[in-house]
Amino acid sequence: MSTQPLLWVPGAVTTNLRAIAMNTRKVYIETYGCQMNLADTELLIGILKPHGYEPTKTVDHADVILLNTCAIRERAEERVLKRLQELTYQKARHPGVRLGLTGCMAQHHRDLLLDKAPYLDLVLGPDAYRTLPALLAQEDKDEPLISVRLDRGETYADVTPVRGEGVRAWVTVMRGCDKFCTFCIVPYVRGRERSVPLATLLDQVRVLADQGYKEVVYLGQTVNAYRDGEHDFADLLSRTAAIDGIERIRFTSPHPSDMSEHVIEVMATCTKVAPYLHLPLQSGSNRVLERMERGYTLEHYVALVERLRAAVPGLALSTDIIVGFPGEDAADFQATHDVMATIRYDSAFMFKYSAREGTKAYKWNETLSEEEKVQRLQTIITLQERISAEINRQAIGQTTEVLVEGPAKRPQGWLSGKTRQFKTAVFPGGGAQLGDLVSVRVASTTAHTLIGEASV
Ligand code: 5AD
Ligand code: SF4
């Protein structure tokens, strides 16, 4: 570990000399995991900026390197450990560089990390981001600086995140989770549920509208559990819809048990609220749902989907599914497969169960081999690909509204954007600009993309 007293006073290191010359300190952040983590990265930059730090996209230019991590599955953690090892070369080349780990994995493995990654300078949990500037201002010590206290009251409501350019702004409305599903590490690493005040959020969104953002995506681990006194999530949605300049409103991820009639009504009546919902199911078997302690039965979930589809015509649905939960037998898996075939989601995120130390299910024996889990996963991926392709094909010949986000990866010269149902569409530009809402006639489709003819 380096004993350099200041971040930007290394030896003869060209990149850091450049930082001295410009009197700025550069922070490079790699983000792993969910959308909330991406939003937290914007928050971290927002916390650091008033202290003289600027973000950089080039690791070689960085005085501070942070990996903002995820703990939800083991694979996510393995990737981070591998990357940390790669990044030690930066510390070897630039001895003044600080290397830190933030987010859920930092919270989950704070002790273990110091064994596995002794070259870390900082370990910061999700409720400790405010301590970052002070920790960076301290002398570089031989021992890493650790800040992992969970704080029930921390919402970062007063911090202005530094957002990326684009048409869509991610806004965290609540943090933490009180649900304690037996497979999930989130409540342990992100702490208890707490919401940002309604007035603060509406002020933030007004500013975003003035800055030219067209779409706002509300984020929370159980976003529809949002509450500020008398105001619930439905109030937040309807009040947001009244803000001029914001054309589309989305949110992720709602919990089926918190999906109130009031929210369904707002989705049905507010045209700005997108007809798209990510509604995690996890399993189609009541036996497994009960052991997961999800708080709903399959019948309750299916009835909810029916109410949503009746209320919001053209609603696109996506979900999360876990295969291979301890005790999931062939009949349980078949039930999941059959529900997916019946509900016909537009898309799905499908995962193999990953045992997480500290959760209730961690103590339960896994009853499937890795091969069996892979096979079950592959079976539902194949099913979902077919369904997604079939649903998308129905859009051929229709005209759909697309919010233009930028150039398409291919073909060259085409533009890319999202439909109101949150499907990716590519189309020949025809003079459309970033942030425009254009009508695109769908000429062909794949399981993942709508391909347009021309903007109308
Ligand atoms: N193993 C596999 N998938 C998990 N998820 C959460 N915890 C685990 C786990 N231990 C999935 C759930 C959740 C999504 C964000 O990640 O499907 O909805
Ligand atoms: Fe995890 Fe369940 Fe909370 Fe979602 S609702 S974050 S799956 S504990």
Side-chain angles (χ1 to χ4, degrees):
M1 186 103 8
S2 154
T3 51
Q4 294 289 338
L6 290 170
L7 284 180
W8 58 97
V9 190
V13 178
T14 49
T15 50
N16 287 326
L17 285 177
R18 188 156 59 239
I20 298 168
M22 294 162 64
N23 201 20
T24 58
R25 284 156 284 175
K26 302 276 189 201
V27 56
Y28 169 88
I29 310 185
E30 258 173 39
T31 312
Y32 294 79
C34 66
Q35 216 56 57
M36 292 223 32
N37 255 12
L38 279 171
D40 275 2
T41 291
E42 297 178 341
L43 187 77
L44 281 162
I45 300 172
I47 288 171
L48 284 173
K49 213 169 172 160
H51 296 267
Y53 289 88
E54 286 293 332
T56 175
K57 290 197 164 92
T58 314
V59 68
D60 241 6
H61 294 175
D63 302 286
V64 178
I65 301 171
L66 299 176
L67 300 189
N68 192 15
T69 61
C70 168
I72 208 134
R73 282 170 290 274
E74 197 178 353
R75 232 183 106 226
E77 294 188 339
E78 285 166 358
R79 275 179 64 210
V80 167
L81 284 176
K82 199 161 156 260
R83 182 65 179 138
L84 263 182
Q85 253 142 28
E86 282 168 21
L87 286 169
T88 51
Y89 81 94
Q90 287 292 339
K91 278 192 66 88
R93 281 174 59 203
H94 311 315
V97 166
R98 299 280 189 100
L99 181 56
L101 207 91
T102 61
C104 297
M105 186 180 166
Q107 191 74 32
H108 190 204
H109 286 311
R110 46 202 178 265
D111 303 324
L112 188 97
L113 271 168
L114 304 180
D115 283 344
K116 287 211 175 186
Y119 34 79
L120 272 174
D121 298 298
L122 297 162
V123 176
L124 248 79
D127 286 347
Y129 297 152
R130 279 180 203 274
T131 61
L132 184 55
L135 293 183
L136 288 174
Q138 288 188 26
E139 285 194 2
D140 197 359
K141 304 244 176 54
D142 282 344
E143 291 298 310
L145 298 166
I146 304 178
S147 186
V148 287
R149 199 173 54 87
L150 286 175
D151 180 348
R152 283 173 171 267
E154 182 58 276
T155 60
Y156 301 107
D158 57 319
V159 179
T160 306
V162 175
R163 294 190 163 81
E165 285 169 11
V167 298
R168 176 177 306 123
W170 308 91
V171 178
T172 302
V173 303
M174 55 85 69
R175 301 179 71 87
C177 178
D178 288 351
K179 295 279 191 287
F180 287 91
C181 302
T182 54
F183 53 82
C184 186
I185 195 68
V186 166
Y188 303 93
V189 292
R190 286 199 168 256
R192 299 288 69 73
E193 232 173 71
R194 61 229 106 124
S195 297
V196 180
L198 182 80
T200 308
L201 290 170
L202 296 175
D203 283 347
Q204 274 183 23
V205 176
R206 279 186 209 103
V207 171
L208 293 171
D210 287 345
Q211 289 170 343
Y213 289 97
K214 302 283 185 217
E215 178 175 321
V216 52
V217 186
Y218 282 144
L219 298 177
Q221 231 74 50
T222 48
V223 70
N224 51 342
Y226 175 87
R227 181 157 281 282
D228 175 16
E230 294 292 289
H231 300 294
D232 64 5
F233 186 62
D235 294 329
L236 174 62
L237 291 177
S238 56
R239 296 280 293 273
T240 308
I243 297 175
D244 285 341
I246 297 299
E247 307 286 352
R248 288 181 179 178
I249 304 163
R250 279 197 301 121
F251 54 92
T252 198
S253 288
H255 191 283
S257 304
D258 292 321
M259 203 64 207
S260 68
E261 294 305 315
H262 192 190
V263 171
I264 299 177
E265 188 191 311
V266 172
M267 288 188 74
T269 52
C270 271
T271 48
K272 285 186 182 180
V273 180
Y276 165 73
L277 195 67
H278 180 71
L279 198 62
L281 168 66
Q282 313 299 0
S283 169
S285 155
N286 274 336
R287 210 174 64 89
V288 175
L289 286 174
E290 198 173 317
R291 280 165 59 80
M292 288 177 161
E293 294 186 23
R294 284 289 290 171
Y296 52 83
T297 61
L298 178 63
E299 291 70 26
H300 168 264
Y301 183 98
V302 170
L304 175 61
V305 167
E306 281 167 3
R307 285 205 304 284
L308 280 158
R309 282 183 162 159
V312 187
L315 178 74
L317 272 182
S318 62
T319 197
D320 289 337
I321 301 286
I322 298 176
V323 295
F325 185 72
E328 180 193 86
D329 65 18
D332 296 321
F333 174 68
Q334 190 61 42
T336 300
H337 180 280
D338 293 351
V339 179
M340 292 178 74
T342 312
I343 290 183
R344 291 176 66 81
Y345 294 101
D346 291 70
S347 60
F349 297 88
M350 294 159 276
F351 310 104
K352 281 180 293 172
Y353 169 71
S354 170
R356 304 282 63 210
E357 192 170 356
T359 61
K360 218 168 172 181
Y362 185 73
K363 300 188 202 85
W364 300 341
N365 283 341
E366 288 211 46
T367 46
L368 286 186
S369 67
E370 179 64 14
E371 289 68 35
E372 286 165 319
K373 283 202 256 180
V374 169
Q375 203 189 6
R376 287 186 183 181
L377 183 65
Q378 198 47 58
T379 303
I380 56 168
I381 289 175
T382 306
L383 169 72
Q384 186 54 50
E385 287 279 305
R386 178 171 63 71
I387 294 171
S388 297
E390 284 170 5
I391 293 176
N392 283 353
R393 219 172 289 137
Q394 289 166 5
I396 295 176
Q398 292 177 11
T399 297
T400 183
E401 182 197 85
V402 177
L403 176 59
V404 181
E405 292 183 15
K409 281 195 199 116
R410 56 180 190 275
Q412 228 191 345
W414 282 38
L415 292 175
S416 170
K418 288 274 196 277
T419 68
R420 296 190 71 234
Q421 296 174 315
F422 203 54
K423 301 203 177 185
T424 301
V426 297
F427 59 100
Q433 304 288 319
L434 185 87
D436 284 353
L437 286 169
V438 295
S439 295
V440 171
R441 209 176 112 87
V442 180
S444 60
T445 56
T446 69
H448 304 285
T449 312
L450 310 181
I451 299 147
E453 261 165 15
S455 50
V456 183

